[in-house]
Amino acid sequence: MHALGVRLGAGLEAGDLVVLTGPLGAGKTTLVRGIGEGLHVRGPVTSPTFVLARTHPSTVGGPPLVHVDAYRLSSALELDDLDIDYPHSVVVVEWGDGLLDGISPSLLRIDIERPTEGGSEDGDEQGEPRTVTMTGTGPRWTDGPPA
């Protein structure tokens, strides 16, 4: 998941909005760590469960990474209260399914499935496969998600 995130992060730009879905332990935060590395942001990138959102500035003059954990949010209004700078940041939202309608004309949705038995919570255990499906909608993703 980390290596996939690094490759994905290298292709993301300011204004990109990414929503991650998957069960606990699927590797969402591990993927975001990799995205942060690909974007060359200051870290460490950790789960923002209790603070809801963390901004990681770029170390190379690129866009910051805003990492949001929407698990405890019940509505899009609560997400709006976080006052996120969507146009100038790469925003990655864990558990944001259904909360991001109308935020951006483009959205990259990443669904992560993991085996139901055993495995690590962070998605980095060798030999534990994940199934990752990326679906881009809107003008930004007309040519598909980054490879």
Side-chain angles (χ1 to χ4, degrees):
M1 293 307 296
H2 185 268
L4 174 61
V6 172
R7 289 192 311 272
L8 180 61
L12 293 174
E13 303 171 354
D16 285 345
L17 177 60
V18 180
V19 63
L20 305 179
T21 65
L24 286 170
K28 293 180 295 293
T29 300
T30 300
L31 181 68
V32 181
R33 276 190 208 110
I35 290 171
E37 186 175 319
L39 287 168
H40 302 283
V41 300
R42 191 170 61 219
V45 174
T46 60
S47 178
T49 300
F50 297 104
V51 295
L52 302 180
R54 281 198 175 95
T55 300
H56 299 275
S58 175
T59 61
V60 295
L65 168 65
V66 178
H67 181 197
V68 180
D69 185 329
Y71 184 76
R72 297 186 305 139
L73 300 181
S74 58
S75 72
L77 288 174
E78 288 180 310
L79 183 63
D80 188 50
D81 285 343
L82 297 176
D83 199 27
I84 296 169
D85 183 5
Y86 292 97
H88 300 103
S89 306
V90 171
V91 179
V92 180
V93 183
E94 296 185 40
W95 305 102
D97 203 25
L99 297 177
L100 299 164
D101 296 338
I103 297 288
S104 172
S106 296
L107 175 84
L108 178 61
R109 179 186 170 103
I110 301 176
D111 298 297
I112 306 168
E113 296 178 39
R114 69 178 274 213
T116 57
E117 296 180 14
S120 68
E121 287 300 306
D122 67 4
D124 272 346
E125 185 172 307
Q126 294 294 330
E128 185 180 350
R130 301 297 203 258
T131 301
V132 177
T133 305
M134 292 189 220
T135 308
T137 58
R140 166 71 165 106
W141 305 112
T142 56
D143 294 329

